Amino acid sequence: MIGIKRIYDAPLKSDGYRILIDRLWPRGVSKEHARLYEWAKDITPSTQLRQELHHNADAPHEYEIFKRAYLKELSSNPNAPAFINEMKELLSRGNVTLLTASKNPDVSHVPVLKEFIENKLA
């Protein structure tokens, strides 16, 4: 199972393999507290796309534009195939939790990445 969680939430054993999927390190979180196995910066949205989402996060229409643009970035990202292969291997062993510092993970790049992973593994 692929879970989504804020990095500020307490780590749980049920999280399984914890991957930070933000381009920037979250404020106020020590590496010890994060309990990460990996920080996958290469699979996150470009700086420009991330900034556009940050400025337009409350507009549903803008989120759909962001989603399409990020899926396009993922499709052409040279790091995506290796990341998908890694996810397949990790999920064969247990849960994977995608971590973000986003205040509202449901309206961030995280659900888009999760959907991309699930579609590639289907």
Side-chain angles (χ1 to χ4, degrees):
M1 179 181 95
I2 301 173
I4 295 174
K5 192 172 187 178
R6 291 191 74 223
I7 193 149
Y8 301 105
D9 297 337
L12 300 173
K13 188 172 184 148
S14 61
D15 291 344
Y17 194 89
R18 294 167 50 90
I19 304 173
L20 177 62
I21 54 165
D22 286 345
R23 188 165 294 274
L24 305 174
W25 186 262
R27 287 184 182 183
V29 176
S30 68
K31 290 186 180 182
E32 181 181 292
H33 172 76
R35 293 194 192 157
L36 297 178
Y37 289 99
E38 184 176 345
W39 182 11
K41 291 185 261 187
D42 322 9
I43 205 73
T44 63
S46 64
T47 300
Q48 178 183 349
L49 209 54
R50 179 182 54 80
Q51 289 172 346
E52 287 174 16
L53 175 64
H54 180 72
H55 294 296
N56 299 308
D58 296 331
H61 175 70
E62 294 296 326
Y63 183 73
E64 286 304 313
I65 293 170
F66 163 79
K67 181 178 176 179
R68 285 192 299 274
Y70 182 37
L71 286 171
K72 186 175 180 182
E73 278 189 3
L74 286 168
S75 295
S76 62
N77 184 331
N79 299 302
F83 184 77
I84 295 299
N85 287 337
E86 178 187 16
M87 290 296 294
K88 183 177 183 178
E89 173 64 28
L90 291 169
L91 288 165
S92 73
R93 292 188 259 146
N95 293 340
V96 174
T97 300
L98 305 177
L99 300 167
T100 182
S102 296
K103 289 180 184 177
N104 186 355
D106 295 334
V107 186
S108 71
H109 66 289
V110 185
V112 181
L113 179 57
K114 181 181 177 194
E115 178 182 319
F116 179 79
I117 295 165
E118 290 172 341
N119 287 339
K120 291 294 183 181
L121 295 179

